């Protein structure tokens, strides 16, 4: 019972020392302890700060004077952590004045019932019945005090589970004080405890008709509506959403320039997928806030960015997050969200910085290493990616996924022998602790590493395992037919099973028609078969479809033109290939040989 619990937080705690130290007591029939025994002394002036007016007694009322003395003794005992003595003294007070009130524990001017404090302490000690009797005496002494009925309802409901009796007292409290939200919450929850959702809903409707100028009343009521209507993966019925909006809008109308209220309503709008309504509320709350380091408002920046994202305003969301990390450079979640936004925009160069910053702030989360590595690979920073995953592998040595991703980074960095050894390590680890990791994608990557290392038989075995596990290629990135294409190309390129390799490449194209990598493989198959015109046709299609340009395809086109005796065209494509991949020694070697051949042809007889 969320709201009731909040209202009763101080009651639920055992008797503890009061916040304000007591001083020496005024003379009373009961002898007071000496200062040496009690520590701080209590003065008459201090009694007003610890008791209500009904404990400020006239001199001729001996009984009330005794009660005052007992209250003082109880306060001193509580100050000295003698809770049993304090409880006895407070019960003596209540024997004289069952409706006695004390100042609330928060030090405000609010007064509350001493009987409630004692009753809940007794309930904690297992004597709920005595606590109930004390509160019933309070009801008799002060039948118009709604709080006594409310506390009775809580004891019957929370301590005894007697929800029908609890509901009766909660109803009486509400009838006496229909402006107090806690009483609506109690009635609502007890009706739910009794399984009567219809009456619970009637309580919400009754609360929505209250004439209250307190924005917190409407916020709290809105929270009850949220607990009633907002469920995971469930759409809120339009009529219910309309009611909720009306309640929260009353909070906004009454809040004025209270940024905390605006934040709460904005959170509701975001939660209920009304991002367009949340955006101006977050913006106004952030503009009104005077403390940019307040955690609630730091989080509000992220929620505003999320709202803007939902509304399709990614650039605005990025601006909000850039401002956030400028104001709070330790906001790891801000960096993470900013990186993801840049990724959604395909702006990988700008995504890397925030993700690296998030990794620096949260090096204990293995996901952060993988996020940075993914971007580095996209940016072709393969050596950096391998270094990052090496750090992760050292930090998380028994995580097969980390070992696997480290192997992929090594493969991309063309550290083939290290990559194969690391794939083997990842496979061994996964067989023991994470067998589901060993899917088609794992064996595809493993097979690719073996192929890069020139281990054709091993690559054939691993890519075949990939196809066996996932014949439709649904688990493979980036394309469904990758395993068929790569195995086919491997055989064709190494002059092994050329016809079978061509069949596999055709199978890949059936799964992904127009895929530039598969078109390149098919062109290379025709090249190996000596069908150079067919090869050129497919390779040019591949080059046209490749975004960005692929130096490997340009190299294949150049070799094909050379076979067709068109050396100038070949030189043009080799020049493009070398420009795109200046570190590829094989392409550079073929280009140099072609240039030499061209030069020799120009000086030959007849030229």
């Amino acid at each position: 019972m969320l709201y009731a619990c909040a209202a009763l937080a101080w009651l639920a705690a055992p008797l503890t020392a009061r916040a304000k130290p007591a001083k020496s007591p005024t003379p009373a029939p009961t002898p007071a302890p000496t200062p040496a025994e009690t520590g701080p002394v209590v003065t008459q002036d201090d009694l007003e700060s610890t008791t209500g007016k009904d404990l400020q007694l006239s001199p001729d009322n001996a009984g009330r004077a005794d009660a005052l003395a007992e209250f003082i003794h109880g306060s001193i005992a509580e100050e000295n952590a003698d809770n049993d003595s304090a409880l006895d003294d407070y019960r003596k007070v209540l024997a004289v004045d069952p409706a006695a009130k004390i100042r609330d524990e928060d030090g405000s001017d609010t007064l509350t019932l001493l009987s409630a404090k004692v009753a809940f302490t007794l309930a904690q000690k297992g004597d709920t019945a005595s606590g109930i009797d004390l509160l019933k005496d309070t009801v008799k002494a002060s039948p118009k005090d709604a709080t006594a009925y409310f506390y009775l309802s809580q004891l019957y409901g929370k301590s005894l589970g007697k929800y029908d009796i609890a509901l009766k007292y909660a109803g009486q409290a509400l009838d006496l004080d229909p402006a107090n939200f806690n009483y609506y919450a109690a009635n609502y929850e007890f009706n739910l405890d009794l399984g009567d959702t219809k009456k619970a809903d009637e309580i919400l409707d009754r609360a929505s008709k209250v004439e209250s100028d307190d924005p917190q009343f409407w916020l709290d009521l809105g929270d009850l509506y949220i607990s009633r209507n907002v469920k995971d993966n469930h759409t809120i019925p339009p009529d219910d959403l309309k009611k909720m909006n009306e309640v929260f809008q009353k909070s906004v109308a009454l809040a004025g320039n209270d940024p905390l209220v605006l934040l709460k309503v904005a959170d509701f709008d975001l939660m209920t997928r009304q991002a367009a309504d949340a955006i101006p509320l977050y913006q106004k709350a952030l503009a009104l806030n005077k403390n940019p380091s307040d955690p609630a408002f730091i989080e509000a920046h992220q929620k505003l960015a999320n709202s803007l994202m939902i509304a399709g305003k990614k650039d605005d969301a990025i601006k909000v997050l850039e401002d956030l990390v400028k104001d709070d450079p330790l906001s790891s979640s801000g960096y993470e969200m900013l990186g993801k936004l840049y990724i959604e925009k395909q702006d990988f160069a700008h995504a890397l910085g925030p993700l690296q910053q998030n990794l620096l702030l949260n090096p204990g989360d293995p996901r952060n290493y993988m996020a940075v590595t993914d971007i580095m690979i996209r940016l072709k920073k393969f050596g950096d990616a391998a270094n990052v995953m090496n750090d992760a592998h050292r930090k998380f040595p028994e995580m097969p996924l980390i070992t696997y991703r480290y192997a992929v980074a090594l493969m991309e960095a063309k550290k083939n022998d290290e990559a194969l050894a690391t794939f083997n390590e990842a496979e061994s680890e996964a067989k023991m602790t994470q067998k589901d990791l060993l899917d088609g994608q794992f064996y595809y990557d493993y097979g690719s590493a073996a192929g890069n290392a020139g281990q054709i038989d091993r690559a054939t075995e691993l890519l075949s395992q990939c196809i066996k596990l996932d014949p439709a290629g649904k688990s493979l990135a980036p394309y469904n037919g990758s395993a068929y294409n790569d195995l086919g190309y491997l055989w064709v390129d190494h002059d092994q099973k050329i016809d079978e390799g061509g069949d596999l490449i055709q199978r890949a194209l059936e799964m992904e028609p127009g895929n530039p990598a598969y078109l390149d493989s098919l062109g290379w198959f025709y090249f190996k078969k000596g069908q150079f015109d067919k090869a050129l046709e497919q390779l040019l299609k591949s080059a046209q479809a490749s975004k960005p340009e692929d130096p490997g395809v340009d190299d294949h086109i150049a070799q094909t033109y050379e076979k067709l005796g068109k050396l100038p065209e070949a030189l043009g494509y080799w020049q493009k290939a070398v420009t795109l991949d200046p570190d590829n020694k094989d392409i550079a070697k073929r280009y140099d040989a072609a240039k030499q051949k061209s030069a020799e042809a120009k000086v030959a007889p007849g030229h």
Side-chain angles (χ1 to χ4, degrees):
M1 300 179 181
L2 179 63
Y3 298 91
C5 287
L8 301 173
W10 69 273
L11 291 171
L15 292 170
T16 57
R18 305 186 70 78
K20 184 171 183 178
K23 300 180 182 178
S24 63
T26 55
T30 305
T34 67
E37 294 172 322
T38 64
V41 245
V42 178
T43 67
Q44 178 65 43
D45 291 340
D46 287 318
L47 292 181
E48 266 188 81
S49 68
T50 54
T51 66
K53 291 181 180 179
D54 49 345
L55 286 182
Q56 296 172 26
L57 309 176
S58 58
D60 59 348
N61 190 330
R64 301 297 287 273
D66 285 345
L68 176 59
E70 295 296 349
F71 180 79
I72 294 169
H73 291 159
S75 297
I76 294 170
E78 188 177 356
E79 186 76 22
N80 293 326
D82 186 358
N83 295 329
D84 289 338
S85 296
L87 190 62
D88 289 341
D89 289 332
Y90 290 153
R91 294 184 75 172
K92 290 174 184 176
V93 174
L94 293 171
V96 175
D97 187 359
K101 290 187 176 181
I102 57 174
R103 195 167 301 284
D104 221 337
E105 295 284 334
D106 62 5
S108 67
D109 292 334
T110 305
L111 301 179
T112 193
L113 292 169
L114 176 61
S115 57
K117 181 181 181 77
V118 174
F120 276 81
T121 302
L122 289 170
Q124 284 187 327
K125 291 176 173 290
D127 190 4
T128 305
S130 294
I132 287 174
D133 287 342
L134 286 177
L135 286 169
K136 285 184 174 178
D137 289 341
T138 302
V139 167
K140 291 176 184 176
S142 184
K144 299 297 184 181
D145 190 335
T147 56
Y149 297 93
F150 172 68
Y151 291 133
L152 267 174
S153 76
Q154 299 305 298
L155 278 182
Y156 272 111
K158 292 175 64 62
S159 297
L160 300 178
K162 295 184 177 181
Y163 301 117
D164 52 345
I165 301 176
L167 183 60
K168 180 188 76 171
Y169 284 111
Q172 288 176 290
L174 183 57
D175 290 340
L176 287 167
D177 186 2
N180 191 314
F181 177 77
N182 288 324
Y183 304 161
Y184 289 98
N187 278 270
Y188 173 77
E189 290 166 356
F190 288 138
N191 274 302
L192 289 184
D193 289 331
L194 290 167
D196 196 336
T197 56
K198 182 179 178 181
K199 286 188 177 179
D201 288 342
E202 289 173 357
I203 291 295
L204 295 183
D205 289 340
R206 179 178 171 183
S208 69
K209 296 178 175 63
V210 170
E211 296 292 333
S212 175
D213 58 2
D214 179 5
Q216 191 61 46
F217 180 97
W218 300 108
L219 287 178
D220 290 340
L221 179 57
D223 282 341
L224 275 190
Y225 271 111
I226 288 173
S227 70
R228 172 75 174 87
N229 296 316
V230 179
K231 311 294 182 185
D232 290 341
N233 300 320
H234 283 76
T235 301
I236 303 172
D239 288 345
D240 290 334
L241 183 59
K242 181 181 178 182
K243 290 179 183 178
M244 296 166 74
N245 282 330
E246 289 172 351
V247 166
F248 278 105
Q249 284 307 310
K250 288 180 180 179
S251 293
V252 173
L254 294 167
N257 289 328
D258 186 335
L260 290 173
V261 174
L262 298 175
L263 281 188
K264 184 75 181 235
V265 179
D267 287 346
F268 158 74
D269 286 332
L270 181 58
M271 178 193 307
T272 52
R273 302 172 187 172
Q274 301 178 96
D277 294 327
I279 291 169
L281 293 175
Y282 281 128
Q283 290 172 330
K284 183 177 180 181
L286 289 169
L288 290 168
N289 176 45
K290 304 302 182 185
N291 183 9
S293 63
D294 186 325
F297 290 92
I298 291 174
E299 186 179 2
H301 278 88
Q302 298 176 43
K303 291 176 179 177
L304 172 57
N306 193 25
S307 301
L308 290 164
M309 287 170 57
I310 293 170
K313 300 179 179 180
K314 291 183 181 178
D315 289 336
D316 291 340
I318 286 173
K319 176 64 170 59
V320 168
L321 291 170
E322 293 281 11
D323 290 343
L324 167 62
V325 297
K326 188 184 300 181
D327 291 337
D328 181 23
L330 299 181
S331 175
S332 61
S333 55
Y335 287 114
E336 181 181 16
M337 193 172 178
L338 184 57
K340 289 179 178 178
L341 261 178
Y342 278 123
I343 290 172
E344 287 187 18
K345 289 190 66 181
Q346 302 287 300
D347 187 349
F348 303 117
H350 281 96
L352 182 58
L355 293 179
Q356 285 177 309
Q357 196 65 30
N358 183 39
L359 173 58
L360 285 173
L361 292 169
N362 281 306
D365 189 339
R367 294 172 299 181
N368 295 335
Y369 292 87
M370 293 187 284
V372 169
T373 299
D374 287 343
I375 299 303
M376 286 179 167
I377 288 175
R378 286 180 179 273
L379 295 173
K380 302 188 184 301
K381 297 176 179 287
F382 302 124
D384 292 341
N387 290 336
V388 169
M389 288 312 301
N390 183 35
D391 290 343
H393 188 234
R394 288 202 306 266
K395 187 177 286 288
F396 309 102
E398 297 180 359
M399 287 187 65
L401 178 59
I402 291 294
T403 308
Y404 168 33
R405 299 293 290 276
Y406 180 33
V408 171
L410 288 168
M411 177 181 69
E412 295 289 0
K414 294 183 170 53
K415 297 182 178 182
N416 298 322
D417 292 338
E418 291 179 62
L420 279 176
T422 308
F423 270 114
N424 185 60
E425 181 185 346
E427 183 182 39
S428 299
E429 291 174 358
K431 284 179 178 177
M432 292 186 292
T433 61
Q434 195 178 347
K435 291 182 179 180
D436 61 337
L437 184 65
L438 303 177
D439 58 4
Q441 184 69 51
F442 178 89
Y443 284 104
Y444 171 74
D445 292 332
Y446 196 176
S448 298
N452 292 344
Q455 297 186 17
I456 308 307
D457 292 342
R458 182 64 172 145
T460 296
E461 176 189 341
L462 293 166
L463 291 173
S464 298
Q465 176 71 358
C466 167
I467 292 171
K468 180 181 177 181
L469 289 171
D470 187 6
K474 297 298 184 184
S475 69
L476 298 189
Y479 307 111
N480 291 347
S482 296
Y484 293 99
N485 174 73
D486 287 18
L487 181 55
Y489 181 83
L490 187 72
W491 287 345
V492 166
D493 192 46
H494 288 82
D495 299 314
Q496 297 180 8
K497 304 180 182 178
I498 293 178
D499 290 333
E500 291 93 329
D503 290 340
L504 289 175
I505 293 167
Q506 291 284 10
R507 175 75 183 274
L509 274 166
E510 289 172 6
M511 299 171 74
E512 289 279 344
N515 184 303
Y518 303 171
L519 291 169
D520 174 63
S521 296
L522 183 60
W524 200 238
F525 164 73
Y526 287 130
F527 180 93
K528 289 290 187 175
K529 295 285 287 184
Q531 301 175 25
F532 302 120
D533 288 326
K534 282 188 173 183
L536 185 61
E537 178 186 357
Q538 299 301 322
L539 291 170
L540 290 173
K541 285 182 181 178
S542 174
Q544 186 176 10
S546 296
K547 305 295 180 189
E549 289 186 77
D550 186 335
V553 175
D554 291 335
D555 177 46
H556 285 168
I557 293 172
Q559 292 186 61
T560 305
Y561 270 127
E562 185 182 38
K563 288 292 186 181
L564 290 169
K566 298 181 178 182
L567 195 56
E569 289 86 344
L571 285 170
Y573 274 95
W574 265 318
Q575 185 176 25
K576 285 174 59 180
V578 168
T579 302
L580 291 169
D581 190 2
D583 296 328
N584 192 311
K585 294 180 180 179
D586 291 334
I587 295 177
K589 184 178 179 180
R590 284 189 285 273
Y591 181 37
D592 289 342
K595 286 192 293 183
Q596 180 66 29
K597 184 177 178 181
S598 176
E600 291 173 354
K602 288 178 181 178
V603 299
H607 286 74

